[in-house]
Amino acid sequence: DTEVTQTPKHLVMGMTNKKSLKCEQHMGHRAMYWYKQKAKKPPELMFVYSYEKLSINESVPSRFSPECPNSSLLNLHLHALQPEDSALYLCASSQDEAGVPEGNEQFFGPGTRLTVL
Amino acid sequence: GQNIDQPTEMTATEGAIVQINCTYQTSGFNGLFWYQQHAGEAPTFLSYNVLDGLEEKGRFSSFLSRSKGYSYLLLKELQMKDSASYLCAVDPGAGSYQLTFGKGTKLSVIP
């Protein structure tokens, strides 16, 4: 299995809703990432988990809350979002193995297209 | 600081060859990735260069010069399906997870 899966593919939510994005990989990767991507822009890193521990939080507002229940799963909990949070949310994973040239190759999921009304 | 430059847009003809350049100035460097991204879809891996030189994979080749802070992606025998954005991304290495992405080059292939 060499893919990263994400659900849902599309999500429309109001500003008062609570929803969650889910990501799963079964490649044995130990690093998992959340990115946010606006149209015609490159992906922007939000969070990194390494060995199920939050490693990087790129000054993301608290209305985004990540969770890593185990090494294969990564969630992003959403609460009280703003319309400007509408974007494509990408999950990625990598081996996270020091000394391996391709250790940082990130495999991306198909993304969740989020619209906040 | 981190600075990665790529052309914003390029247009090329079906069947032709196109070269997409990427220059970088970053505080750390282990290697450079090229990703392809079709509109509304996730980036997909194309290549990863660690050593200087050209690496060829079918119609796609990627080149790296570490001393010049320069890479390019070469696409041969262009097909309409190659119309996409192409992102170069620097892997800083040294235990860092954070790839630094360029802004992407939108390639349009015309008949």
Side-chain angles (χ1 to χ4, degrees), chain B:
Chain B
Q2 315 284 70
N3 189 37
I4 301 179
D5 284 319
Q6 320 177 220
T8 305
E9 294 186 42
M10 297 181 74
T11 301
T13 306
E14 194 176 12
I17 299 172
V18 70
Q19 177 174 314
I20 302 175
N21 296 327
C22 172
T23 58
Y24 61 90
Q25 292 171 304
T26 57
S27 52
F29 184 86
N30 188 58
L32 188 140
F33 289 98
W34 282 97
Y35 284 89
Q36 179 192 59
Q37 187 174 27
H38 287 97
E41 298 182 11
T44 54
F45 171 81
L46 290 178
S47 65
Y48 180 58
N49 292 68
V50 175
L51 302 176
D52 285 357
L54 185 68
E55 293 201 6
E56 299 184 64
K57 282 187 185 180
R59 293 190 300 114
F60 292 9
S61 303
S62 56
F63 172 85
L64 176 67
S65 169
R66 296 174 72 115
S67 61
K68 295 182 179 177
Y70 167 67
S71 173
Y72 67 73
L73 181 69
L74 192 71
L75 294 76
K76 301 176 187 174
E77 301 170 18
L78 280 174
Q79 302 176 8
M80 299 300 288
K81 67 178 182 179
D82 297 329
S83 293
S85 286
Y86 291 86
L87 298 158
C88 67
V90 167
D91 169 13
S96 172
Y97 303 101
Q98 190 164 350
L99 297 185
T100 301
F101 283 90
K103 293 185 177 178
T105 299
K106 184 179 177 183
L107 174 66
S108 298
V109 180
I110 58 176

Side-chain angles (χ1 to χ4, degrees), chain A residues 31 33 35 37 40-43 45 48 50 55-56 58 88 90 96 101-102 104-106 108-111 113, chain B residues 30 33 35 37 39-45 48 50 87 91-93 95-99 101-104 106:
Chain A
Y33 311 73
Y35 287 88
Q37 187 175 27
K40 300 183 181 180
K41 300 282 188 183
L45 185 65
V48 181
S50 175
S55 175
I56 294 176
E58 290 290 340
L88 180 68
L90 295 164
D96 186 20
E102 293 79 22
N104 252 8
E105 178 189 336
Q106 294 184 17
F108 286 85
R113 174 72 59 191
Chain B
N30 188 58
F33 289 98
Y35 284 89
Q37 187 174 27
E41 298 182 11
T44 54
F45 171 81
Y48 180 58
V50 175
L87 298 158
D91 169 13
S96 172
Y97 303 101
Q98 190 164 350
L99 297 185
F101 283 90
K103 293 185 177 178
K106 184 179 177 183

Side-chain angles (χ1 to χ4, degrees), chain A residues 61-82:
Chain A
S62 60
R63 55 186 185 268
F64 295 92
S65 174
E67 179 198 14
C68 189
N70 60 55
S71 60
S72 299
L73 294 173
L74 185 66
N75 298 324
L76 185 63
H77 303 298
L78 314 172
H79 175 53
L81 295 193
Q82 304 296 311

Side-chain angles (χ1 to χ4, degrees), chain A residues 11-20 36 60-65 76-86 89 114-117:
Chain A
L11 178 62
V12 179
M13 60 188 289
M15 289 189 284
T16 58
N17 292 158
K18 281 187 182 181
K19 296 286 184 184
S20 296
K36 171 183 177 181
V60 179
S62 60
R63 55 186 185 268
F64 295 92
S65 174
L76 185 63
H77 303 298
L78 314 172
H79 175 53
L81 295 193
Q82 304 296 311
E84 60 263 30
D85 296 323
S86 298
Y89 287 83
L114 174 68
T115 303
V116 182
L117 301 175

